[in-house]
Amino acid sequence: MQQLRKPLAADGLQSLIGADRAALEAVLVELGEAESKSRMRARQLFHWIYCRGARTFDEMTTLSKELRGRLAEQYSVARPQIVVEQKSTDGTRKWLLRFFDGQEVESVFIPQDDRGALCVSTQVGCTLTCKFCHTGTMPLVRNLTPGEILAQLLVARDALGEWPSPREDRLFTNIVVMGMGEPLFNYDGIAAAMKLASDGDGIGLSKHKITLSTSGVVPRIVQWGQELGTGLAISLHAVRDELRDELVPVNRKWPIAELLDACRAYPHRNKPITFEYVMLAGVNDSDADARELVRLLQGIPAKVNLIPFNAWPGAVFECSSNNRIHAFARIVEAAGYQSPVRVPRGRDILAACGQLKTASERIRARRASEAAVAGAPSQEPASVAAALP
Ligand code: SAH
Ligand code: SF4
């Protein structure tokens, strides 16, 4: 059975966000609810948390007042603190969330015509150090709990006003597990969270609407395919091992051939695997690279997502020119693979992975040092957004 981990919420309370039905039932039994009733009560609690989006036990009017009181003494369904909430002129929304131990992660909602995807984080920072990725430079790393992953979905639903779920007319239709961290190094956390996200009695986003992006943790790709079978995206970025060893160091452990074998074995369910390819000028963007990519993908139902490199302070790469990106795309498309060029979204709100968190930390560090100089206690910025350049 799922174990709730303490402490997850503020004030010494334990968060129930991320708990499955069995865990909720155990909580109710522990609170003295009769075993005969606890299963039904757990279903009601589940419905309030994941379908109605309740933020307090008080709202849960199908539970007795007395039970609500007992729950509130020890447990919580409060959201993490929203440190920054931003909305781009293109509709992209971004949240910097702070958990109860002070650690922060980002999630980004990207609307697109009649649908929208929430990009969720799975770790604080990342243990891997891909050369072009800002998250890989963050020193502090820990896995997010299922509740902390789920909380990102709840915060987005709150902000979009999309409770109860599922609803026909909602904007938040998809999840992309492409935020901070390597999800398959937090396998249990992300698996528990995505099982809950796809539960029809709760958030109700089907597994077809979920895409997990990995840098290539081969043994876990196979397991994920068997257990969850969501859409899959692979951060390929290079077509030769020598270069991929440098750009995506996990390649030293699981090289390209093994990674592509895992992709061939992945249950496709009529959905192609997306291969992500960041366009780095003069590094991985030649016609020869494109031709080799096509050769490697033979036999895999695939789509290639070309991502213009998003520069960050201190990055050693530059983005390929538009002409180069489109020349690359033409070669891939001529071989029969869709090859869209990803349009950068939310540039005005630093929507690229890791950027907002770093900006927040920079500003906090500056304020702390200013405050230390003035002899005053350091203050949290009310809105980092306002202070951003
Ligand atoms: N760790 C997972 C998921 C998070 S990264 C993974 O690596 O797949 C999501 C995607 O953004 C990956 O394809 C990653 O390689 C890409 N990415 C990271 N930094 C980038 C940058 N500065 N510019 C463009 N894409 C980047
Ligand atoms: Fe981690 Fe993905 Fe960034 Fe690599 S690209 S450092 S795996 S978050």
Side-chain angles (χ1 to χ4, degrees):
M1 195 185 70
Q2 188 189 17
Q3 291 292 315
L4 294 181
R5 277 174 266 179
K6 286 190 178 191
L8 289 183
D11 307 327
L13 300 176
Q14 186 173 340
S15 177
L16 289 184
I17 298 173
D20 61 14
R21 288 183 189 77
L24 293 176
E25 200 177 328
V27 163
L28 290 164
V29 170
E30 199 183 288
L31 288 179
E33 200 66 11
E35 299 245 358
S36 56
K37 288 199 181 145
S38 59
R39 178 158 299 176
M40 183 193 54
R41 294 271 175 264
R43 268 208 312 274
Q44 290 171 322
L45 200 45
F46 189 94
H47 176 82
W48 280 109
I49 299 172
Y50 301 117
C51 180
R52 305 289 286 269
R55 288 184 236 190
T56 62
F57 293 111
D58 256 359
E59 295 165 56
M60 304 184 180
T61 46
T62 53
L63 304 179
S64 73
K65 209 166 175 191
E66 191 268 326
L67 176 58
R68 284 184 262 153
R70 269 185 289 148
L71 280 163
E73 279 169 20
Q74 291 185 47
Y75 297 96
S76 160
V77 285
R79 313 305 192 228
Q81 183 190 349
I82 300 174
V83 185
V84 184
E85 181 169 18
Q86 289 179 307
K87 196 169 175 186
S88 162
T89 47
D90 68 10
T92 302
R93 296 170 80 135
K94 178 158 185 161
W95 298 271
L96 179 68
L97 302 180
R98 183 176 302 157
F99 299 115
F100 301 104
D101 65 351
Q103 292 301 330
E104 294 173 351
V105 298
E106 304 167 350
S107 39
V108 184
F109 177 73
I110 305 160
Q112 227 175 14
D113 305 326
D114 57 348
R115 60 201 181 101
L118 184 74
C119 178
V120 300
S121 293
T122 54
Q123 297 183 307
V124 176
C126 185
T127 43
L128 300 176
T129 50
C130 302
K131 269 230 173 89
F132 49 86
C133 175
H134 202 220
T135 303
T137 65
M138 292 178 186
L140 236 155
V141 181
R142 75 164 172 83
N143 281 337
L144 297 188
T145 63
E148 289 168 335
I149 298 170
L150 247 296
Q152 297 173 58
L153 311 186
L154 304 193
V155 165
R157 276 268 154 93
D158 293 345
L160 295 164
E162 296 198 331
W163 299 113
S165 63
R167 282 171 31 157
E168 287 296 310
D169 58 342
R170 66 187 171 200
L171 258 183
F172 173 6
T173 54
N174 292 61
I175 299 173
V176 290
V177 186
M178 287 188 188
M180 297 163 65
E182 167 48 59
L184 295 184
F185 279 154
N186 181 12
Y187 189 94
D188 293 345
I190 189 66
M194 290 305 108
K195 279 178 191 159
L196 282 170
S198 57
D199 192 304
D201 293 336
I203 293 173
L205 292 168
S206 93
K207 286 179 186 157
H208 305 284
K209 305 274 184 181
I210 300 174
T211 301
L212 175 124
S213 172
T214 177
S215 57
V217 184
V218 165
R220 297 297 202 167
I221 292 175
V222 176
Q223 188 182 353
W224 185 264
Q226 286 160 355
E227 290 180 3
L228 278 296
T230 67
L232 180 68
I234 300 287
S235 294
L236 191 65
H237 307 316
V239 291
R240 292 176 189 84
D241 280 325
E242 312 80 74
L243 179 60
R244 196 163 189 272
D245 282 351
E246 287 302 308
L247 295 180
V248 186
V250 79
N251 193 68
R252 293 177 202 161
K253 186 144 193 189
W254 295 291
I256 294 173
E258 283 183 35
L259 177 57
L260 295 181
D261 280 348
C263 292
R264 283 190 188 90
Y266 195 82
H268 293 96
R269 304 203 172 91
N270 299 326
K271 210 178 166 193
I273 292 179
T274 302
F275 287 85
E276 296 161 284
Y277 199 93
V278 63
M279 298 302 289
L280 305 172
V283 175
N284 64 354
D285 62 350
S286 69
D287 286 355
D289 288 316
R291 285 193 292 268
E292 178 62 7
L293 176 59
V294 165
R295 196 189 66 77
L296 287 176
L297 294 183
Q298 256 172 25
I300 304 175
K303 172 180 160 189
V304 177
N305 226 332
L306 298 179
I307 315 174
F309 171 61
N310 209 320
W312 38 273
V316 294
F317 300 108
E318 283 178 22
C319 183
S320 313
S321 69
N322 264 342
N323 282 347
R324 182 85 303 270
I325 297 177
H326 285 101
F328 194 101
R330 276 195 299 276
I331 294 173
V332 179
E333 272 163 7
Y337 297 102
Q338 271 187 48
S339 183
V341 178
R342 192 185 287 173
V343 182
R345 299 291 301 265
R347 279 236 156 126
D348 53 329
I349 58 165
L350 303 180
C353 185
Q355 291 187 359
L356 187 60
K357 176 173 150 98
T358 319
S360 155
E361 281 164 358
R362 240 191 353 256
I363 289 161
R364 251 201 321 280
R366 198 176 67 212
R367 296 232 172 137
S369 64
E370 283 167 6
V373 170
S378 67
Q379 284 180 4
E380 294 297 317
S383 163
V384 173
L388 291 173

